[in-house]
Amino acid sequence: MPGMTAQPEITQRDLRNRSREIMDAVQGGQSFTVTRDGHEIGELIPLRRRRRFVPRGEFVTMSRTASGFSVDALRADQRDTAEQETDDPYAR
């Protein structure tokens, strides 16, 4: 695709033989395109890390544009869910 940075290509054999080195690079943020018999078969990419917290300023900004919240609607949903019977085949 135009405008995308090329990822280094590694063969299936390289992945097998140099797995520790390659996984260390992935952990460090590097991505790879994996090939087999000269054909691209997949990408090895690092997982995105989830943030553990949201800064206060960002939370305030998000809260201002959030849709309304109805405590009554939440309680009605909880009540309706709690009143449902389970289809437990082992219940007597």
Side-chain angles (χ1 to χ4, degrees):
M1 296 181 102
M4 295 188 72
T5 346
Q7 298 174 159
E9 286 188 0
I10 56 172
T11 63
Q12 179 181 5
R13 179 176 290 170
D14 282 340
L15 181 57
R16 183 186 66 227
N17 294 337
R18 300 174 35 222
S19 63
R20 181 180 181 96
E21 173 189 343
I22 292 167
M23 290 301 158
D24 287 345
V26 171
Q27 187 175 14
Q30 178 68 54
S31 298
F32 296 92
T33 299
V34 181
T35 63
R36 178 174 44 198
D37 299 326
H39 301 283
E40 294 180 350
I41 60 168
E43 292 180 311
L44 190 56
I45 59 172
L47 293 175
R48 285 192 270 172
R49 301 248 187 253
R50 296 182 73 175
R51 292 192 294 181
R52 291 183 170 211
F53 69 95
V54 176
R56 180 182 300 230
E58 189 175 332
F59 178 77
V60 168
T61 302
M62 289 186 319
S63 298
R64 286 188 187 127
T65 59
S67 60
F69 177 77
S70 168
V71 173
D72 294 331
L74 173 65
R75 288 184 179 145
D77 286 345
Q78 289 174 329
R79 183 185 60 249
D80 293 345
T81 302
E83 291 176 359
Q84 293 177 3
E85 292 186 28
T86 61
D87 293 332
D88 186 355
Y90 302 105
R92 293 181 184 227

